[in-house]
Amino acid sequence: MSSPFPRPTTITPLPVADLVATLGAELHAAPAEDGEPPAAAGHDAPEAAVRGVTLDSRTVQPGDLYAALPGAHVHGARFAAQARDAGAAAVLTDQAGLDLVRAQGVAAPVLVVPDPRAALGRAAAAIYGRPVGAALLTYGITGTNGKTTTAYLVDGGLRRLGRVTGLVGTIETRIGDERIRSTRTTPESSDLQALLAVMAERGVERCTMEVSSHALVMHRVDGVVYDVAAFTNLSQDHLDFHGSMEDYYRAKASLFTPERARRGVVVVDDEWGSRLAREATIPVVTVSATGRPADWQVTDLGERRFALTGPGARLDLTCPLPGDFNQVNTAVAALILHLGGEDLAQAAEAVCGDPQVPGRMEQVPGPAGAPVGIVDFAHTPDAITAALQALRSQTRGRLVVVLGAGGDRDAGKRPRMGQAAAAAADVVIVTDDNPRSEDPSAIRAAVLSGVGDQRGHRDQDGHGDRVREVPGRADAIAAAVALARGPQDTVVVLGKGHEQGQEIAGETHPFDDREQLRQALHGRRAERQKQQQKHEPDQRAGAPQVEGEMESDGGGA
């Protein structure tokens, strides 16, 4: 097994002694052949050197530092012998790991620190030559919603300004024109530092990263000091991991410290952003679209146009994506580039090009006469509200939404997700997302519990319930398309966005909302053509058409 991420081709081996000094580690030599205890630091310390680092014993390459971390169920040090057989030159672990390494008789120097995960980022940065510097500027974006879109706006703007760029995020990792599919928002620090070194080696000038709260808590971005950090918003999500909104906020806020960033952009349109602007220990500029006191104001001018007004400047801009929230994302992207050294007017113009963000307000083309089909990643109450409000403003007919909630994740947000959808859409179909190990029907029930008495209400045409439960995501998407009348209606599928799999009972099945919606849109046309052909002979013969016989989709033709 190999890591999906590349490593730099040119590495100067780092002496273990230098790594010990960098980490303040205690060094233990290999066991003696006669079985005596290994030497401690300062006593016959090995003259080894390392040229790479990994925390997965299956991806060890010759000369690597193997980071044996304590896990939820198994300590990584149990695989130290496997790592050494693959060529690991040294092991980084804690005291418990040292005992496991000794028990296996692994002949390699062992660096012992109290928290090896917290030390891994610094170790990786040192091994890969501390790639972040003047030649490679970095932008880190955090927030509950908007990270991906803002990152693509920044990256697209940089490319239009002629910069060679890198991108690290939820959907993909880019090194110039090379693309690698991402498995998590922010890679482990060992992979991240290797990526940054590869970017520097290949001439990348600017790297834009999504920085998740998990990454901040789990030290994945340790060793990186961002030139510009940005905060979009904070709303309920991931409380299964953080436990409380306060802890969630503190994780995000840690990005706005001198240890992690030099300057920042903060949206102050929620209380968390206002608090962060006060508590940040780095210089920040603030942004508001609601009239709150801020350095920069975003004013909606209609038809996706908005004004960005701040110290001595006003820019009239056109947002490339629908929704007021995307005007804010666009403004944040422009200010990130400006704080990174770009001319503000040029940066603003550059970020207003089409960012083509997969699974974010992405339109799925259908045949003539089909409803508008949209796929979006919104999976929090606030994001659902924002997405549906944006689509409502451009929908002349009915807004039909499909959504579910993920299993083994923050269960507290599920009723609020249902409530948000029912408040903004004409018809809501509650279905499955990624149930993972949970019972899908129990998750659907939790989402439905938030819609109150709306479930029993008929839709505006009296054809069915406003809120419906349809097990099976593909069936739910097909049902939503069948309910739409035509091009004046919008069908939006929320929750999974760009994802191409659905995790059910521990197994991931191929599933892409965009492809399922495309099939439903085209299948709808085929079904309508079939119905039309069926009734054409009767109509030519002058037979009366029974009212409603063409209404198999639950609406008018």
Side-chain angles (χ1 to χ4, degrees):
M1 177 179 178
S2 61
S3 169
F5 299 109
R7 295 189 183 188
T9 58
T10 303
I11 300 176
T12 301
L14 180 70
V16 166
D18 290 358
L19 194 55
V20 168
T22 296
L23 303 180
E26 183 178 300
L27 177 62
H28 293 261
E33 292 184 1
D34 59 4
E36 291 297 317
H43 299 278
D44 301 320
E47 296 298 327
V50 293
R51 51 184 297 112
V53 56
T54 182
L55 51 72
D56 187 338
S57 62
R58 298 167 296 179
T59 65
V60 169
Q61 297 182 22
D64 273 359
L65 172 71
Y66 171 53
L69 310 183
H73 305 291
V74 179
H75 200 297
R78 292 190 179 276
F79 306 101
Q82 177 182 339
R84 183 67 186 92
D85 291 345
V91 177
L92 172 67
T93 192
D94 55 11
Q95 183 60 49
L98 174 63
D99 295 340
L100 290 169
V101 173
R102 283 176 169 173
Q104 298 169 69
V106 173
V110 182
L111 288 72
V112 177
V113 295
D115 186 351
R117 177 173 284 281
L120 180 57
R122 287 180 291 139
I127 291 167
Y128 291 118
R130 294 182 174 83
V132 175
L136 178 60
L137 270 64
T138 51
Y139 309 121
I141 302 164
T142 198
T144 305
N145 304 308
K147 292 189 299 295
T148 300
T149 298
T150 304
Y152 271 79
L153 287 163
V154 170
D155 183 76
L158 287 167
R159 287 172 177 253
R160 292 182 190 92
L161 292 171
R163 304 296 190 184
V164 182
T165 69
L167 178 69
V168 180
T170 303
I171 298 173
E172 63 184 348
T173 294
R174 291 183 184 174
I175 308 169
D177 293 328
E178 180 184 354
R179 298 187 175 198
I180 303 167
R181 184 177 173 183
S182 295
T183 57
R184 56 165 56 101
T185 298
T186 315
E188 293 288 358
S189 58
S190 50
D191 289 328
L192 177 60
Q193 292 294 333
L195 269 173
L196 294 171
V198 170
M199 290 181 186
E201 188 176 70
R202 297 185 186 177
V204 170
E205 301 169 282
R206 305 285 189 271
C207 175
T208 307
M209 288 180 54
E210 298 177 49
V211 184
S212 68
S213 57
H214 291 68
L216 291 161
V217 171
M218 299 181 73
H219 303 282
R220 291 178 189 158
V221 294
D222 285 9
V224 180
V225 179
Y226 294 94
D227 292 282
V228 184
F231 173 88
T232 57
N233 51 63
L234 193 73
S235 62
Q236 185 177 338
D237 201 10
H238 305 306
L239 297 192
D240 55 305
F241 178 79
H242 294 289
S244 69
M245 286 297 293
E246 178 65 21
D247 287 346
Y248 186 24
Y249 165 77
R250 290 189 179 279
K252 297 287 191 186
S254 70
L255 182 59
F256 295 82
T257 61
E259 294 76 21
R260 295 196 185 277
R262 294 183 172 87
R263 58 191 70 84
V265 181
V266 177
V267 179
V268 295
D269 285 336
D270 60 36
E271 292 302 323
W272 301 107
S274 296
R275 177 179 168 184
L276 178 58
R278 296 191 305 268
E279 296 180 349
T281 53
I282 60 173
V284 300
V285 298
T286 53
V287 186
S288 175
T290 61
R292 291 194 178 197
D295 299 312
W296 292 89
Q297 296 290 336
V298 175
T299 306
D300 182 21
L301 301 177
E303 298 181 350
R304 296 194 187 180
R305 296 178 302 111
F306 70 98
L308 178 61
T309 309
R314 172 182 165 130
L315 300 173
D316 289 348
L317 306 171
T318 300
C319 181
L321 296 167
D324 293 349
F325 61 96
N326 277 320
Q327 294 180 4
V328 178
N329 292 337
T330 304
V332 169
L335 291 170
I336 288 172
L337 295 189
H338 180 50
L339 291 184
E342 307 292 347
D343 175 79
L344 178 58
Q346 293 179 1
E349 181 180 356
V351 300
C352 286
D354 183 3
Q356 298 181 336
V357 191
R360 271 64 175 176
M361 284 293 180
E362 182 176 354
Q363 184 165 350
V364 177
V372 176
I374 300 290
V375 168
D376 191 74
F377 192 56
H379 60 280
T380 68
D382 285 0
I384 290 168
T385 296
L388 296 182
Q389 286 178 346
L391 293 171
R392 169 63 68 196
S393 65
Q394 64 184 46
T395 299
R396 291 180 290 123
R398 297 193 305 174
L399 182 58
V400 183
V401 61
V402 178
L403 87 157
D408 301 332
R409 298 294 187 268
D410 184 358
K413 68 179 181 178
R414 294 171 186 172
R416 294 183 58 217
M417 292 170 65
Q419 181 183 35
D426 295 299
V427 178
V428 178
I429 296 181
V430 176
T431 188
D432 307 319
D433 191 304
N434 290 308
R436 299 184 176 91
S437 70
E438 289 193 59
D439 177 4
S441 63
I443 300 174
R444 295 195 301 270
V447 176
L448 287 165
S449 71
V451 305
D453 63 356
Q454 294 296 310
R455 189 176 183 186
H457 287 191
R458 308 292 281 181
D459 66 26
Q460 64 187 35
D461 293 330
H463 290 134
D465 292 344
R466 281 198 62 236
V467 181
R468 311 174 187 205
E469 180 180 5
V470 179
R473 196 169 180 90
D475 289 341
I477 293 171
V481 171
L483 286 169
R485 302 185 188 89
Q488 71 273 25
D489 288 357
T490 297
V491 174
V492 56
V493 183
L494 299 178
K496 290 172 61 61
H498 65 283
E499 294 176 0
Q500 297 181 29
Q502 186 175 29
E503 188 177 343
I504 304 172
E507 184 176 352
T508 300
H509 305 268
F511 196 97
D512 188 326
D513 279 354
R514 296 164 295 185
E515 178 59 23
Q516 292 294 329
L517 182 54
R518 186 193 68 78
Q519 290 180 15
L521 291 170
H522 286 268
R524 180 180 186 276
R525 179 179 66 172
E527 179 62 26
R528 286 184 171 244
Q529 289 176 340
K530 180 180 177 181
Q531 292 291 336
Q532 289 171 352
Q533 292 169 359
K534 175 182 176 181
H535 295 290
E536 276 176 359
D538 290 339
Q539 293 172 22
R540 284 195 300 270
Q545 185 172 348
V546 179
E547 183 179 357
E549 70 176 345
M550 291 295 292
E551 295 183 352
S552 61
D553 67 343

